[in-house]
Amino acid sequence: MGKDVIVACDFSSAEAVFSFLDRFAELSRKPFVKIGMELYYAEGPDIVREIKRRGHKIFLDLKLHDIPNTVKKAMAVLSRLDVDICNLHAAGASAMMRAAIEGLTREDGTRPLLIAVTQLTSTDQETMERDLLIERPIDEVVMHYAATAANAGLDGVVCSPLEAQKVHEVCGKEFITVTPGIRFAEGERGDQKRVMTPADAKAIGSDYIVVGRPITAAEDPVGAYLRCVAEFCD
Ligand code: C5P
């Protein structure tokens, strides 16, 4: 599994994301880009096509969750967009996850990687018990969702870097862990509560780190990106 740094391009317009990406034009390494709901809903599928045309790999973070048939058809559209990674909520259950894989798989048998969100990191034990009526310990729930995703044939999960090692123990080394919540040792945490440095995320076996503000809000975004690459990939 190729370790890589995925830059969360949480911008609200094509103009903003392109002026950000233009800064990286001189680099031989093209950053892997995460497009989230805000940018995708603002600009539509053309934003994916254009960033791909510029040579970036794309993680399209739309977190699908619906009945199996609807998810299957939506995934077929995303597959034609040629994204590299896309995702869904494991809470949609096994039949939805299997349908998603069917939809994603192209006629030649290839498909983008498909990863699952387990419990959102904004959900804590209290919220899970009160709002979702799930009474088991949250770590157990996260690992159960990860194992269900693995059994349905998914390629990995989005998880906290603090969970990556356990996910690999439960679901196998090949099951990929994509971990947000990354901060430099001396950096601002912002709203992220459970954070890890790129070097520590590498040490515990994350496959991809997702880094937003430590790069997008840096005075020198290219320098911050290269620092992530040096700590995590090299
Ligand atoms: O700016 P920051 O590095 O905190 O950005 C992290 C990115 O990862 C954001 O796009 C955020 O939505 C996403 N993410 C997250 N935690 C999750 C899932 C996704 O921070 N559990």
mmCIF file of all heavy atoms in Angstrom, residues 74-124:
data_model
loop_
_atom_site.group_PDB
_atom_site.id
_atom_site.type_symbol
_atom_site.label_atom_id
_atom_site.label_comp_id
_atom_site.label_asym_id
_atom_site.label_seq_id
_atom_site.Cartn_x
_atom_site.Cartn_y
_atom_site.Cartn_z
ATOM 1 N N ALA A 74 -25.429 5.514 -7.616
ATOM 2 C CA ALA A 74 -24.603 6.706 -7.384
ATOM 3 C C ALA A 74 -23.122 6.354 -7.505
ATOM 4 O O ALA A 74 -22.329 7.117 -8.075
ATOM 5 C CB ALA A 74 -24.902 7.281 -6.004
ATOM 6 N N MET A 75 -22.752 5.183 -7.002
ATOM 7 C CA MET A 75 -21.347 4.760 -7.074
ATOM 8 C C MET A 75 -20.922 4.534 -8.529
ATOM 9 O O MET A 75 -19.771 4.779 -8.897
ATOM 10 C CB MET A 75 -21.125 3.491 -6.244
ATOM 11 C CG MET A 75 -21.120 3.736 -4.751
ATOM 12 S SD MET A 75 -19.694 4.750 -4.238
ATOM 13 C CE MET A 75 -19.927 4.775 -2.455
ATOM 14 N N ALA A 76 -21.842 4.054 -9.350
ATOM 15 C CA ALA A 76 -21.499 3.857 -10.771
ATOM 16 C C ALA A 76 -21.140 5.199 -11.406
ATOM 17 O O ALA A 76 -20.224 5.295 -12.234
ATOM 18 C CB ALA A 76 -22.662 3.197 -11.505
ATOM 19 N N VAL A 77 -21.833 6.257 -11.004
ATOM 20 C CA VAL A 77 -21.527 7.595 -11.532
ATOM 21 C C VAL A 77 -20.134 8.039 -11.056
ATOM 22 O O VAL A 77 -19.321 8.539 -11.841
ATOM 23 C CB VAL A 77 -22.598 8.616 -11.084
ATOM 24 C CG1 VAL A 77 -22.220 10.022 -11.520
ATOM 25 C CG2 VAL A 77 -23.968 8.235 -11.640
ATOM 26 N N LEU A 78 -19.851 7.826 -9.776
ATOM 27 C CA LEU A 78 -18.546 8.237 -9.237
ATOM 28 C C LEU A 78 -17.414 7.441 -9.887
ATOM 29 O O LEU A 78 -16.322 7.959 -10.123
ATOM 30 C CB LEU A 78 -18.499 8.063 -7.713
ATOM 31 C CG LEU A 78 -19.535 8.856 -6.921
ATOM 32 C CD1 LEU A 78 -19.279 8.733 -5.421
ATOM 33 C CD2 LEU A 78 -19.548 10.326 -7.323
ATOM 34 N N SER A 79 -17.675 6.188 -10.193
ATOM 35 C CA SER A 79 -16.660 5.361 -10.838
ATOM 36 C C SER A 79 -16.319 5.925 -12.224
ATOM 37 O O SER A 79 -15.155 5.991 -12.616
ATOM 38 C CB SER A 79 -17.186 3.932 -10.943
ATOM 39 O OG SER A 79 -16.203 3.086 -11.441
ATOM 40 N N ARG A 80 -17.344 6.375 -12.943
ATOM 41 C CA ARG A 80 -17.100 6.964 -14.275
ATOM 42 C C ARG A 80 -16.334 8.275 -14.157
ATOM 43 O O ARG A 80 -15.655 8.684 -15.082
ATOM 44 C CB ARG A 80 -18.424 7.187 -15.016
ATOM 45 C CG ARG A 80 -19.081 5.884 -15.475
ATOM 46 C CD ARG A 80 -20.129 6.122 -16.554
ATOM 47 N NE ARG A 80 -21.282 6.844 -16.067
ATOM 48 C CZ ARG A 80 -22.338 6.277 -15.440
ATOM 49 N NH1 ARG A 80 -22.351 4.970 -15.232
ATOM 50 N NH2 ARG A 80 -23.357 7.008 -15.054
ATOM 51 N N LEU A 81 -16.444 8.939 -13.011
ATOM 52 C CA LEU A 81 -15.686 10.180 -12.795
ATOM 53 C C LEU A 81 -14.204 9.892 -12.551
ATOM 54 O O LEU A 81 -13.404 10.816 -12.427
ATOM 55 C CB LEU A 81 -16.230 10.917 -11.568
ATOM 56 C CG LEU A 81 -17.335 11.921 -11.778
ATOM 57 C CD1 LEU A 81 -17.703 12.548 -10.428
ATOM 58 C CD2 LEU A 81 -16.907 13.004 -12.748
ATOM 59 N N ASP A 82 -13.887 8.611 -12.383
ATOM 60 C CA ASP A 82 -12.493 8.197 -12.243
ATOM 61 C C ASP A 82 -11.836 8.706 -10.963
ATOM 62 O O ASP A 82 -10.649 9.073 -10.982
ATOM 63 C CB ASP A 82 -11.701 8.655 -13.486
ATOM 64 C CG ASP A 82 -10.417 7.868 -13.650
ATOM 65 O OD1 ASP A 82 -10.345 6.753 -13.104
ATOM 66 O OD2 ASP A 82 -9.490 8.392 -14.295
ATOM 67 N N VAL A 83 -12.608 8.772 -9.871
ATOM 68 C CA VAL A 83 -11.980 9.114 -8.593
ATOM 69 C C VAL A 83 -11.122 7.932 -8.141
ATOM 70 O O VAL A 83 -11.298 6.808 -8.626
ATOM 71 C CB VAL A 83 -13.023 9.488 -7.512
ATOM 72 C CG1 VAL A 83 -13.834 10.687 -7.940
ATOM 73 C CG2 VAL A 83 -13.931 8.307 -7.180
ATOM 74 N N ASP A 84 -10.194 8.182 -7.243
ATOM 75 C CA ASP A 84 -9.285 7.125 -6.779
ATOM 76 C C ASP A 84 -9.778 6.459 -5.500
ATOM 77 O O ASP A 84 -9.566 5.263 -5.292
ATOM 78 C CB ASP A 84 -7.887 7.719 -6.574
ATOM 79 C CG ASP A 84 -7.344 8.243 -7.895
ATOM 80 O OD1 ASP A 84 -6.858 7.422 -8.689
ATOM 81 O OD2 ASP A 84 -7.478 9.457 -8.178
ATOM 82 N N ILE A 85 -10.392 7.262 -4.618
ATOM 83 C CA ILE A 85 -10.975 6.726 -3.380
ATOM 84 C C ILE A 85 -12.335 7.394 -3.188
ATOM 85 O O ILE A 85 -12.477 8.598 -3.420
ATOM 86 C CB ILE A 85 -10.106 7.051 -2.136
ATOM 87 C CG1 ILE A 85 -8.660 6.564 -2.298
ATOM 88 C CG2 ILE A 85 -10.728 6.450 -0.870
ATOM 89 C CD1 ILE A 85 -7.751 6.863 -1.088
ATOM 90 N N CYS A 86 -13.344 6.618 -2.783
ATOM 91 C CA CYS A 86 -14.606 7.237 -2.359
ATOM 92 C C CYS A 86 -15.071 6.505 -1.099
ATOM 93 O O CYS A 86 -14.453 5.522 -0.673
ATOM 94 C CB CYS A 86 -15.640 7.238 -3.469
ATOM 95 S SG CYS A 86 -15.933 5.651 -4.195
ATOM 96 N N ASN A 87 -16.150 6.999 -0.508
ATOM 97 C CA ASN A 87 -16.519 6.432 0.793
ATOM 98 C C ASN A 87 -18.020 6.410 1.029
ATOM 99 O O ASN A 87 -18.807 6.998 0.264
ATOM 100 C CB ASN A 87 -15.784 7.159 1.935
ATOM 101 C CG ASN A 87 -16.129 8.626 2.050
ATOM 102 O OD1 ASN A 87 -16.876 9.171 1.251
ATOM 103 N ND2 ASN A 87 -15.580 9.281 3.048
ATOM 104 N N LEU A 88 -18.379 5.702 2.103
ATOM 105 C CA LEU A 88 -19.781 5.578 2.514
ATOM 106 C C LEU A 88 -19.817 5.379 4.024
ATOM 107 O O LEU A 88 -18.776 5.205 4.660
ATOM 108 C CB LEU A 88 -20.440 4.402 1.783
ATOM 109 C CG LEU A 88 -19.709 3.071 1.697
ATOM 110 C CD1 LEU A 88 -19.493 2.417 3.049
ATOM 111 C CD2 LEU A 88 -20.465 2.098 0.803
ATOM 112 N N HIS A 89 -21.014 5.425 4.596
ATOM 113 C CA HIS A 89 -21.176 5.148 6.024
ATOM 114 C C HIS A 89 -21.389 3.660 6.235
ATOM 115 O O HIS A 89 -22.347 3.091 5.682
ATOM 116 C CB HIS A 89 -22.401 5.894 6.574
ATOM 117 C CG HIS A 89 -22.114 7.309 6.957
ATOM 118 N ND1 HIS A 89 -21.501 7.641 8.145
ATOM 119 C CD2 HIS A 89 -22.346 8.470 6.313
ATOM 120 C CE1 HIS A 89 -21.381 8.955 8.219
ATOM 121 N NE2 HIS A 89 -21.881 9.493 7.112
ATOM 122 N N ALA A 90 -20.563 3.052 7.065
ATOM 123 C CA ALA A 90 -20.754 1.632 7.382
ATOM 124 C C ALA A 90 -22.125 1.396 8.020
ATOM 125 O O ALA A 90 -22.667 0.290 7.948
ATOM 126 C CB ALA A 90 -19.648 1.144 8.313
ATOM 127 N N ALA A 91 -22.705 2.443 8.618
ATOM 128 C CA ALA A 91 -24.039 2.311 9.237
ATOM 129 C C ALA A 91 -25.110 1.940 8.209
ATOM 130 O O ALA A 91 -26.197 1.495 8.583
ATOM 131 C CB ALA A 91 -24.418 3.617 9.940
ATOM 132 N N GLY A 92 -24.804 2.101 6.914
ATOM 133 C CA GLY A 92 -25.740 1.678 5.867
ATOM 134 C C GLY A 92 -25.862 0.168 5.766
ATOM 135 O O GLY A 92 -26.759 -0.340 5.081
ATOM 136 N N ALA A 93 -24.950 -0.548 6.433
ATOM 137 C CA ALA A 93 -24.966 -2.008 6.579
ATOM 138 C C ALA A 93 -24.450 -2.771 5.345
ATOM 139 O O ALA A 93 -24.219 -2.195 4.288
ATOM 140 C CB ALA A 93 -26.348 -2.501 6.997
ATOM 141 N N SER A 94 -24.291 -4.099 5.562
ATOM 142 C CA SER A 94 -23.570 -4.935 4.588
ATOM 143 C C SER A 94 -24.157 -4.904 3.185
ATOM 144 O O SER A 94 -23.423 -4.822 2.201
ATOM 145 C CB SER A 94 -23.574 -6.391 5.045
ATOM 146 O OG SER A 94 -23.027 -6.508 6.298
ATOM 147 N N ALA A 95 -25.492 -4.989 3.089
ATOM 148 C CA ALA A 95 -26.100 -5.064 1.744
ATOM 149 C C ALA A 95 -25.798 -3.782 0.967
ATOM 150 O O ALA A 95 -25.504 -3.821 -0.231
ATOM 151 C CB ALA A 95 -27.605 -5.274 1.862
ATOM 152 N N MET A 96 -25.838 -2.641 1.660
ATOM 153 C CA MET A 96 -25.521 -1.384 0.984
ATOM 154 C C MET A 96 -24.050 -1.356 0.557
ATOM 155 O O MET A 96 -23.715 -0.895 -0.538
ATOM 156 C CB MET A 96 -25.826 -0.195 1.907
ATOM 157 C CG MET A 96 -25.671 1.136 1.216
ATOM 158 S SD MET A 96 -25.468 2.511 2.379
ATOM 159 C CE MET A 96 -23.749 2.319 2.841
ATOM 160 N N MET A 97 -23.181 -1.863 1.409
ATOM 161 C CA MET A 97 -21.747 -1.837 1.075
ATOM 162 C C MET A 97 -21.438 -2.756 -0.110
ATOM 163 O O MET A 97 -20.675 -2.394 -1.004
ATOM 164 C CB MET A 97 -20.911 -2.193 2.309
ATOM 165 C CG MET A 97 -20.986 -1.106 3.374
ATOM 166 S SD MET A 97 -19.726 -1.280 4.665
ATOM 167 C CE MET A 97 -20.639 -2.152 5.907
ATOM 168 N N ARG A 98 -22.081 -3.919 -0.136
ATOM 169 C CA ARG A 98 -21.851 -4.833 -1.269
ATOM 170 C C ARG A 98 -22.408 -4.227 -2.563
ATOM 171 O O ARG A 98 -21.783 -4.305 -3.624
ATOM 172 C CB ARG A 98 -22.487 -6.203 -0.991
ATOM 173 C CG ARG A 98 -21.716 -7.025 0.036
ATOM 174 C CD ARG A 98 -22.182 -8.488 0.027
ATOM 175 N NE ARG A 98 -23.601 -8.618 0.303
ATOM 176 C CZ ARG A 98 -24.117 -8.745 1.527
ATOM 177 N NH1 ARG A 98 -23.325 -8.805 2.578
ATOM 178 N NH2 ARG A 98 -25.417 -8.832 1.701
ATOM 179 N N ALA A 99 -23.559 -3.570 -2.460
ATOM 180 C CA ALA A 99 -24.150 -2.924 -3.641
ATOM 181 C C ALA A 99 -23.240 -1.796 -4.134
ATOM 182 O O ALA A 99 -23.087 -1.583 -5.343
ATOM 183 C CB ALA A 99 -25.535 -2.375 -3.299
ATOM 184 N N ALA A 100 -22.624 -1.097 -3.199
ATOM 185 C CA ALA A 100 -21.716 -0.005 -3.572
ATOM 186 C C ALA A 100 -20.546 -0.549 -4.402
ATOM 187 O O ALA A 100 -20.155 0.050 -5.416
ATOM 188 C CB ALA A 100 -21.200 0.688 -2.313
ATOM 189 N N ILE A 101 -20.008 -1.682 -3.977
ATOM 190 C CA ILE A 101 -18.884 -2.270 -4.719
ATOM 191 C C ILE A 101 -19.331 -2.675 -6.124
ATOM 192 O O ILE A 101 -18.634 -2.426 -7.109
ATOM 193 C CB ILE A 101 -18.295 -3.476 -3.962
ATOM 194 C CG1 ILE A 101 -17.601 -2.957 -2.699
ATOM 195 C CG2 ILE A 101 -17.310 -4.252 -4.836
ATOM 196 C CD1 ILE A 101 -17.054 -4.040 -1.801
ATOM 197 N N GLU A 102 -20.523 -3.261 -6.207
ATOM 198 C CA GLU A 102 -21.047 -3.630 -7.538
ATOM 199 C C GLU A 102 -21.146 -2.406 -8.439
ATOM 200 O O GLU A 102 -20.760 -2.426 -9.601
ATOM 201 C CB GLU A 102 -22.455 -4.211 -7.397
ATOM 202 C CG GLU A 102 -22.500 -5.697 -7.243
ATOM 203 C CD GLU A 102 -23.955 -6.147 -7.136
ATOM 204 O OE1 GLU A 102 -24.771 -5.807 -8.012
ATOM 205 O OE2 GLU A 102 -24.267 -6.821 -6.129
ATOM 206 N N GLY A 103 -21.689 -1.321 -7.884
ATOM 207 C CA GLY A 103 -21.858 -0.112 -8.672
ATOM 208 C C GLY A 103 -20.537 0.483 -9.112
ATOM 209 O O GLY A 103 -20.410 1.010 -10.215
ATOM 210 N N LEU A 104 -19.545 0.391 -8.234
ATOM 211 C CA LEU A 104 -18.238 1.005 -8.526
ATOM 212 C C LEU A 104 -17.432 0.225 -9.559
ATOM 213 O O LEU A 104 -16.579 0.789 -10.245
ATOM 214 C CB LEU A 104 -17.385 1.029 -7.248
ATOM 215 C CG LEU A 104 -17.478 2.199 -6.298
ATOM 216 C CD1 LEU A 104 -16.441 2.016 -5.190
ATOM 217 C CD2 LEU A 104 -17.260 3.536 -6.999
ATOM 218 N N THR A 105 -17.686 -1.080 -9.630
ATOM 219 C CA THR A 105 -16.831 -1.935 -10.464
ATOM 220 C C THR A 105 -17.128 -1.718 -11.954
ATOM 221 O O THR A 105 -18.258 -1.851 -12.414
ATOM 222 C CB THR A 105 -17.016 -3.413 -10.068
ATOM 223 O OG1 THR A 105 -16.791 -3.522 -8.659
ATOM 224 C CG2 THR A 105 -16.040 -4.314 -10.806
ATOM 225 N N ARG A 106 -16.068 -1.361 -12.681
ATOM 226 C CA ARG A 106 -16.221 -1.063 -14.108
ATOM 227 C C ARG A 106 -16.248 -2.368 -14.906
ATOM 228 O O ARG A 106 -15.935 -3.439 -14.377
ATOM 229 C CB ARG A 106 -15.050 -0.185 -14.577
ATOM 230 C CG ARG A 106 -14.907 1.086 -13.754
ATOM 231 C CD ARG A 106 -13.720 1.919 -14.251
ATOM 232 N NE ARG A 106 -13.508 3.064 -13.378
ATOM 233 C CZ ARG A 106 -12.521 3.157 -12.486
ATOM 234 N NH1 ARG A 106 -11.625 2.195 -12.353
ATOM 235 N NH2 ARG A 106 -12.413 4.238 -11.728
ATOM 236 N N GLU A 107 -16.587 -2.232 -16.185
ATOM 237 C CA GLU A 107 -16.690 -3.440 -17.026
ATOM 238 C C GLU A 107 -15.394 -4.222 -17.070
ATOM 239 O O GLU A 107 -15.394 -5.451 -17.178
ATOM 240 C CB GLU A 107 -17.116 -3.051 -18.443
ATOM 241 C CG GLU A 107 -18.617 -2.942 -18.534
ATOM 242 C CD GLU A 107 -19.095 -2.660 -19.947
ATOM 243 O OE1 GLU A 107 -18.287 -2.772 -20.894
ATOM 244 O OE2 GLU A 107 -20.287 -2.328 -20.069
ATOM 245 N N ASP A 108 -14.257 -3.509 -16.995
ATOM 246 C CA ASP A 108 -12.962 -4.212 -17.054
ATOM 247 C C ASP A 108 -12.540 -4.764 -15.693
ATOM 248 O O ASP A 108 -11.422 -5.258 -15.525
ATOM 249 C CB ASP A 108 -11.882 -3.276 -17.615
ATOM 250 C CG ASP A 108 -11.617 -2.075 -16.710
ATOM 251 O OD1 ASP A 108 -12.243 -1.987 -15.628
ATOM 252 O OD2 ASP A 108 -10.787 -1.226 -17.076
ATOM 253 N N GLY A 109 -13.414 -4.659 -14.688
ATOM 254 C CA GLY A 109 -13.115 -5.239 -13.374
ATOM 255 C C GLY A 109 -12.405 -4.289 -12.423
ATOM 256 O O GLY A 109 -12.249 -4.605 -11.243
ATOM 257 N N THR A 110 -11.932 -3.136 -12.918
ATOM 258 C CA THR A 110 -11.247 -2.184 -12.034
ATOM 259 C C THR A 110 -12.291 -1.354 -11.277
ATOM 260 O O THR A 110 -13.447 -1.254 -11.700
ATOM 261 C CB THR A 110 -10.333 -1.226 -12.824
ATOM 262 O OG1 THR A 110 -11.153 -0.440 -13.714
ATOM 263 C CG2 THR A 110 -9.295 -1.985 -13.619
ATOM 264 N N ARG A 111 -11.868 -0.751 -10.200
ATOM 265 C CA ARG A 111 -12.751 0.180 -9.481
ATOM 266 C C ARG A 111 -11.924 1.066 -8.559
ATOM 267 O O ARG A 111 -10.805 0.698 -8.181
ATOM 268 C CB ARG A 111 -13.816 -0.565 -8.680
ATOM 269 C CG ARG A 111 -13.284 -1.426 -7.562
ATOM 270 C CD ARG A 111 -14.387 -1.909 -6.632
ATOM 271 N NE ARG A 111 -13.892 -2.866 -5.658
ATOM 272 C CZ ARG A 111 -13.259 -2.541 -4.541
ATOM 273 N NH1 ARG A 111 -13.007 -1.275 -4.251
ATOM 274 N NH2 ARG A 111 -12.845 -3.472 -3.711
ATOM 275 N N PRO A 112 -12.481 2.231 -8.165
ATOM 276 C CA PRO A 112 -11.808 3.045 -7.150
ATOM 277 C C PRO A 112 -11.782 2.287 -5.823
ATOM 278 O O PRO A 112 -12.595 1.383 -5.609
ATOM 279 C CB PRO A 112 -12.717 4.281 -7.012
ATOM 280 C CG PRO A 112 -13.583 4.285 -8.223
ATOM 281 C CD PRO A 112 -13.725 2.857 -8.654
ATOM 282 N N LEU A 113 -10.862 2.676 -4.939
ATOM 283 C CA LEU A 113 -10.887 2.122 -3.584
ATOM 284 C C LEU A 113 -12.143 2.626 -2.883
ATOM 285 O O LEU A 113 -12.583 3.760 -3.108
ATOM 286 C CB LEU A 113 -9.655 2.586 -2.799
ATOM 287 C CG LEU A 113 -8.304 2.028 -3.238
ATOM 288 C CD1 LEU A 113 -7.180 2.692 -2.438
ATOM 289 C CD2 LEU A 113 -8.257 0.511 -3.062
ATOM 290 N N LEU A 114 -12.720 1.761 -2.050
ATOM 291 C CA LEU A 114 -13.926 2.148 -1.311
ATOM 292 C C LEU A 114 -13.661 1.953 0.184
ATOM 293 O O LEU A 114 -13.303 0.856 0.625
ATOM 294 C CB LEU A 114 -15.120 1.299 -1.746
ATOM 295 C CG LEU A 114 -16.430 1.603 -1.032
ATOM 296 C CD1 LEU A 114 -16.883 3.049 -1.263
ATOM 297 C CD2 LEU A 114 -17.529 0.638 -1.479
ATOM 298 N N ILE A 115 -13.835 3.043 0.928
ATOM 299 C CA ILE A 115 -13.584 2.969 2.371
ATOM 300 C C ILE A 115 -14.831 3.406 3.133
ATOM 301 O O ILE A 115 -15.698 4.089 2.583
ATOM 302 C CB ILE A 115 -12.351 3.803 2.778
ATOM 303 C CG1 ILE A 115 -12.544 5.288 2.461
ATOM 304 C CG2 ILE A 115 -11.106 3.270 2.093
ATOM 305 C CD1 ILE A 115 -11.370 6.152 2.887
ATOM 306 N N ALA A 116 -14.903 2.998 4.393
ATOM 307 C CA ALA A 116 -16.099 3.268 5.199
ATOM 308 C C ALA A 116 -15.796 4.246 6.324
ATOM 309 O O ALA A 116 -14.712 4.224 6.898
ATOM 310 C CB ALA A 116 -16.616 1.957 5.796
ATOM 311 N N VAL A 117 -16.780 5.071 6.615
ATOM 312 C CA VAL A 117 -16.768 5.846 7.848
ATOM 313 C C VAL A 117 -17.420 4.944 8.889
ATOM 314 O O VAL A 117 -18.482 4.372 8.626
ATOM 315 C CB VAL A 117 -17.617 7.133 7.666
ATOM 316 C CG1 VAL A 117 -17.717 7.902 8.974
ATOM 317 C CG2 VAL A 117 -17.036 7.994 6.548
ATOM 318 N N THR A 118 -16.810 4.808 10.062
ATOM 319 C CA THR A 118 -17.404 3.963 11.108
ATOM 320 C C THR A 118 -18.354 4.847 11.927
ATOM 321 O O THR A 118 -19.431 5.184 11.448
ATOM 322 C CB THR A 118 -16.302 3.296 11.952
ATOM 323 O OG1 THR A 118 -15.438 4.291 12.475
ATOM 324 C CG2 THR A 118 -15.514 2.313 11.121
ATOM 325 N N GLN A 119 -17.957 5.227 13.134
ATOM 326 C CA GLN A 119 -18.716 6.274 13.832
ATOM 327 C C GLN A 119 -17.983 7.584 13.572
ATOM 328 O O GLN A 119 -16.749 7.637 13.636
ATOM 329 C CB GLN A 119 -18.760 6.008 15.346
ATOM 330 C CG GLN A 119 -19.753 4.961 15.762
ATOM 331 C CD GLN A 119 -21.207 5.407 15.559
ATOM 332 O OE1 GLN A 119 -21.512 6.575 15.434
ATOM 333 N NE2 GLN A 119 -22.094 4.434 15.509
ATOM 334 N N LEU A 120 -18.724 8.631 13.276
ATOM 335 C CA LEU A 120 -18.093 9.937 13.066
ATOM 336 C C LEU A 120 -17.314 10.323 14.324
ATOM 337 O O LEU A 120 -17.749 10.024 15.437
ATOM 338 C CB LEU A 120 -19.165 10.998 12.792
ATOM 339 C CG LEU A 120 -19.910 10.881 11.467
ATOM 340 C CD1 LEU A 120 -21.116 11.818 11.460
ATOM 341 C CD2 LEU A 120 -18.988 11.197 10.291
ATOM 342 N N THR A 121 -16.213 11.023 14.120
ATOM 343 C CA THR A 121 -15.433 11.424 15.311
ATOM 344 C C THR A 121 -16.166 12.501 16.112
ATOM 345 O O THR A 121 -15.791 12.796 17.241
ATOM 346 C CB THR A 121 -14.021 11.909 14.918
ATOM 347 O OG1 THR A 121 -14.122 12.774 13.803
ATOM 348 C CG2 THR A 121 -13.121 10.759 14.586
ATOM 349 N N SER A 122 -17.213 13.076 15.541
ATOM 350 C CA SER A 122 -18.022 14.047 16.299
ATOM 351 C C SER A 122 -19.035 13.344 17.215
ATOM 352 O O SER A 122 -19.693 13.985 18.027
ATOM 353 C CB SER A 122 -18.760 14.968 15.324
ATOM 354 O OG SER A 122 -19.469 14.198 14.377
ATOM 355 N N THR A 123 -19.161 12.016 17.060
ATOM 356 C CA THR A 123 -20.068 11.239 17.912
ATOM 357 C C THR A 123 -19.273 10.656 19.073
ATOM 358 O O THR A 123 -18.293 9.953 18.855
ATOM 359 C CB THR A 123 -20.695 10.085 17.102
ATOM 360 O OG1 THR A 123 -21.364 10.629 15.981
ATOM 361 C CG2 THR A 123 -21.678 9.287 17.928
ATOM 362 N N ASP A 124 -19.684 10.959 20.293
ATOM 363 C CA ASP A 124 -19.013 10.346 21.445
ATOM 364 C C ASP A 124 -19.941 9.306 22.090
ATOM 365 O O ASP A 124 -21.072 9.088 21.621
ATOM 366 C CB ASP A 124 -18.538 11.406 22.451
ATOM 367 C CG ASP A 124 -19.691 12.245 22.989
ATOM 368 O OD1 ASP A 124 -20.866 11.879 22.763
ATOM 369 O OD2 ASP A 124 -19.425 13.276 23.632
#
